Amino acid sequence: MCDLFEWANECLFLSQMMSEKPPLPADGQRDEAEPGLGLEQEVTMETARDGWDSKVEYFLAQVGFSVGLGNVWRFPYLCHQNGGGAFILLYVLLMVLVGVPLFFLELAAGQSIRQGSIGVWRHISPKLVGIGYSSCVVCFFVALYYNVIIGWSIFYLGSSFKYRLPWETCPTEGNGTVKECAASSPTEYFWYRKALDITDSIDETGEFNPIITGCLLAAWVIVCLAMYKGIKSTGKVMYFSSVFPYVVLLCFLIRGVTLDGASEGIKFMFYPRLEIWADVQVWRQAATQVFFALGLGFGSVIAYSSYNPRNNNCHRDAFTVSGVNLMTSVLATLVVFAVLGFRAKTIATECVKRSWLLGYLNILGGTRLKFAIFFLSQGVEGTGLAFIAFTEAMTLFPGSPFWSALFFLMLLNLGLSTMFGTMAGILTPLTDTFKTLRNHKFLFTACSCAVGFLIGLMFTQRCGNYFVAMFDDYSATLPLIIVVIFQTFSVAWVYGADRFLEDLKLMLDRPVPVVYKYMWKYVCPVAMLGLLGASLLKMILERPTYIAWNREKASKEDLPYPGWALAVLSMLIVVAFLPVPIGFIHSLLLERLGQSPADAEAGYMPCATTDTDQTPLDTLPPSAGDPSSFSPLLEENQDTHLQNGHIEHFQSSAV
């Protein structure tokens, strides 16, 4: 009786669809009607998607993507540079006013429309499809250099399994130590000469570094194996890659606070200098850190949330993930400053014993805290924090190989969990958009990783570290800011904040605070436009520079990018943003040529609120001739593909 009732419901649904003009498919194209029928009407059923096996997997995936290497080295560096506790207060303020509302917007859009970034913005309007493609391009740029950093972590992890760490002492040359190492430090020498074998400038290319090339290959293989089944395989990996870093951070915190000098480092971390709030560039750095910490604009947040059931409480998820991200940044900063305080105290004590820095003691007033601050300012920047300063501090630990292996295993997992989300920001929207890619997911994933490795070889040259810095500083920042501005404007003004909130009320079965309407319409756009203006102003007023290693001087120096590098830098920004105007112009041309329907009144199709989660096969109505078979409409469709006992794809069928 239940089957007959469901079969009658489906027949009623089909008769209603035949009696009125149905909406176009998401790609804006029609299937041709069969000749002789005299009809062009279609029946369209949404594509059923894979889903997370549990809410825990989804939560770990979102946390793993947002909590990355930047939480361990960029946030502590910014705290040190910009007033310690004052910067943390500013960061929290911007997180609440800008970060959480924009993060919630992406979570809600992906969960409501059930598509990747391309499908989400095309759903709102075909003219906005370029926003999704720009997100994919930026994700690809980031994946190229981010996996190189993971390769460096693999190299250091392998080098940690030695009784005496190879960066503890300088190597000998003849009757003395190597001149370059003696003039710098063992950790700097190992990083610049043994790991990178770096050139003196970006103009000197040099040959490939075979060891780092092998580590990069290993990193891409790990990513490919973890993602070959999409979220079904990625979700399982997240149980380890997202949780293990917290275990390591807690171990380091417990060990760090017991070290001599740790309290001085922590005091310096929380010592507030509120005068830094008057500096526009400090606001820019805090907003940029919020921006990247939550992964806004990448499309990865949208991709992960699109696999959720529609009634998932994404509003609560926005606060939970943002809170975990903030707490992780503070925890990592505590660990870093405790360990660096110990490093500063140890180095200062040795210097005093040798009496060669006694003059500095007089200059700094002789206090241990000021002396610690003096040393904490050395080498604490970007990769230098992880691969030089923190690495040097671990050589002073008893059982240093164990702590070193633990630290770089943590970096490896932090990098991989973020890399999985970055790749999801590429693979999910493209497989949602193109049926051929959707039907060959494993091949597409493997080919994407192979292409990423081949292009990534440019970073394994001896000058590769300079290209990593270029991509990190310029290939993502400006394009992502522009993408997020367009995203916010599209939802708040094109689609309409009131309509979007009403959609979310129906989807979540609870009202959403109306304050988000004003956040999305006014606060967030103004903040993002201010961030864009400050970033452009900095680029215009200051010629872009990079940190180079001078082999003869055995020290770092700031060098301006040459003309050809500035051209590459500009090209990266343009290429990442170019899909937005191209998508808009392409949609206008199709509309003028009559190949694409004009947008509906008031804008655009309302976001879907009916659930299209995977449907078990045993709930489908049987055909009239064979109770064990599927419905005739499903049998006629040649695009149906079954996976794990669920419908994966159901394209429109002409009636």
Side-chain angles (χ1 to χ4, degrees), residues 150-269:
I150 295 175
W152 295 342
S153 301
I154 293 174
F155 171 73
Y156 267 80
L157 176 61
S159 302
S160 299
F161 292 99
K162 296 180 180 179
Y163 177 67
R164 289 184 63 84
L165 293 173
W167 51 84
E168 282 193 30
T169 57
C170 287
T172 57
E173 185 179 53
N175 295 327
T177 59
V178 176
K179 181 180 178 181
E180 185 181 2
C181 183
S184 55
S185 69
T187 50
E188 284 186 313
Y189 176 79
F190 185 85
W191 168 241
Y192 287 113
R193 191 56 51 213
K194 295 298 183 181
L196 302 179
D197 194 18
I198 201 167
T199 58
D200 286 351
S201 72
I202 197 172
D203 288 313
E204 305 173 37
T205 56
E207 63 276 4
F208 289 106
N209 186 325
I211 298 179
I212 298 299
T213 301
C215 292
L216 177 63
L217 176 61
W220 277 110
V221 169
I222 294 173
V223 171
C224 183
L225 292 177
M227 301 198 68
Y228 80 102
K229 284 186 178 180
I231 63 168
K232 294 299 183 183
S233 55
T234 305
K236 302 298 183 292
V237 177
M238 288 297 179
Y239 281 106
F240 180 78
S241 63
S242 294
V243 175
F244 179 75
Y246 290 96
V247 176
V248 176
L249 283 176
L250 288 174
C251 291
F252 268 102
L253 181 63
I254 295 171
R255 183 69 183 94
V257 295
T258 63
L259 298 172
D260 187 22
S263 60
E264 292 166 338
I266 295 175
K267 285 178 185 177
F268 178 66
M269 167 189 168

Side-chain angles (χ1 to χ4, degrees), residues 339-420:
V339 173
L340 292 183
F342 164 68
R343 167 180 174 256
K345 177 69 179 297
T346 303
I347 295 176
T349 303
E350 289 297 320
C351 290
V352 171
K353 287 180 180 178
R354 297 175 185 177
S355 299
W356 64 274
L357 274 185
L358 194 57
Y360 278 111
L361 284 174
N362 296 327
I363 294 173
L364 296 173
T367 64
R368 289 188 297 173
L369 178 58
K370 289 185 178 180
F371 202 75
I373 292 174
F374 172 77
F375 276 101
L376 279 168
S377 64
Q378 309 302 309
V380 185
E381 181 177 2
T383 54
L385 174 61
F387 295 102
I388 297 177
F390 206 89
T391 301
E392 180 180 342
M394 286 187 295
T395 62
L396 306 174
F397 285 17
S400 56
F402 168 77
W403 292 102
S404 178
L406 206 60
F407 176 71
F408 288 109
L409 187 59
M410 178 192 71
L411 288 188
L412 175 61
N413 282 275
L414 281 172
L416 286 174
S417 58
T418 301
M419 188 65 186
F420 297 152

Side-chain angles (χ1 to χ4, degrees), residues 78 81-83 86-87 90 94 273-287 530-531 534 537-538 541-542:
L78 291 175
Q81 186 185 47
N82 298 312
F87 179 82
L90 180 59
L94 293 176
R273 291 189 291 118
L274 295 178
E275 63 271 13
I276 61 99
W277 281 37
D279 188 348
V280 175
Q281 291 304 319
V282 174
W283 285 77
R284 181 189 66 83
Q285 290 180 329
L531 176 58
L537 191 64
K538 185 176 186 298
L541 297 179
E542 299 179 14

Side-chain angles (χ1 to χ4, degrees), residues 52 365 446 554 589:
W52 297 101
L589 290 176

Side-chain angles (χ1 to χ4, degrees), residues 316-333:
R316 181 178 58 196
D317 292 343
F319 279 93
T320 306
V321 175
S322 301
V324 171
N325 187 291
L326 174 62
M327 292 299 102
T328 305
S329 297
V330 174
L331 174 62
T333 306

Side-chain angles (χ1 to χ4, degrees), residues 628-648:
S628 64
S629 65
F630 304 115
S631 67
L633 182 61
L634 184 58
E635 289 177 346
E636 290 175 5
N637 192 290
Q638 299 300 317
D639 294 329
T640 302
H641 179 66
L642 306 180
Q643 181 178 10
N644 298 330
H646 296 81
I647 300 178
E648 187 185 41

